[in-house]
Amino acid sequence: MVQLLSSNIENFMLPCLNKTLFGMECPGCGLQRSLLLIGKGEFVAAFKMYPAIYPLLSFILFLVLSTFINFKHATNIKMYLAVLTIATIIISYIIKLI
């Protein structure tokens, strides 16, 4: 059932416009497939597909939680997670280009 559902989802994934037009991957390439791999329970493969997936999910989770729960240093944590996510995206993109 999960395999059938995931194969149907793959048919509806958006193609990368940057890769289609210019032949180059963008910094977000692999995000959709990485989320699908997490849904399948393939956590290492998800990281290999898109290394920024876990910092990004941590950042989004914290943003959602901080709207309902008051954290002591929420602003600093948000800033740290944002910088970590952006740095991971940039570094992995540079490594992918090399």
Side-chain angles (χ1 to χ4, degrees), residues 3 6 14 20 26 30 40 46 48-49 58 61 71 82 86-87 98:
Q3 185 69 5
S6 65
L14 298 173
T20 303
C26 70
K40 291 179 180 180
K48 289 179 180 178
M49 179 65 64
S58 300
L61 179 65
F71 293 98
I86 292 168
I98 295 176

Side-chain angles (χ1 to χ4, degrees), residues 23-62:
M24 259 179 90
E25 291 187 358
C26 70
C29 276
L31 178 61
Q32 291 180 94
R33 284 184 240 90
S34 181
L35 287 171
L36 183 64
L37 288 169
I38 287 177
K40 291 179 180 180
E42 299 178 26
F43 302 109
V44 175
F47 176 78
K48 289 179 180 178
M49 179 65 64
Y50 191 70
I53 189 67
Y54 295 117
L56 181 62
L57 289 178
S58 300
F59 181 55
I60 292 170
L61 179 65
F62 187 78

Side-chain angles (χ1 to χ4, degrees), residues 1-95:
M1 178 69 179
V2 174
Q3 185 69 5
L4 178 65
L5 181 63
S6 65
S7 66
N8 286 338
I9 291 173
E10 288 179 24
N11 293 334
F12 296 103
M13 286 188 171
L14 298 173
C16 177
L17 185 61
N18 193 48
K19 192 171 184 177
T20 303
L21 294 176
F22 304 114
M24 259 179 90
E25 291 187 358
C26 70
C29 276
L31 178 61
Q32 291 180 94
R33 284 184 240 90
S34 181
L35 287 171
L36 183 64
L37 288 169
I38 287 177
K40 291 179 180 180
E42 299 178 26
F43 302 109
V44 175
F47 176 78
K48 289 179 180 178
M49 179 65 64
Y50 191 70
I53 189 67
Y54 295 117
L56 181 62
L57 289 178
S58 300
F59 181 55
I60 292 170
L61 179 65
F62 187 78
L63 286 177
V64 170
L65 287 177
S66 67
T67 59
F68 301 109
I69 302 170
N70 289 331
F71 293 98
K72 187 175 182 180
H73 300 287
T75 306
N76 291 339
I77 295 171
K78 287 177 192 175
M79 186 63 71
Y80 171 76
L81 288 172
V83 168
L84 178 67
T85 302
I86 292 168
T88 307
I89 290 170
I90 291 171
I91 291 169
S92 64
Y93 182 64
I94 290 171
I95 290 172

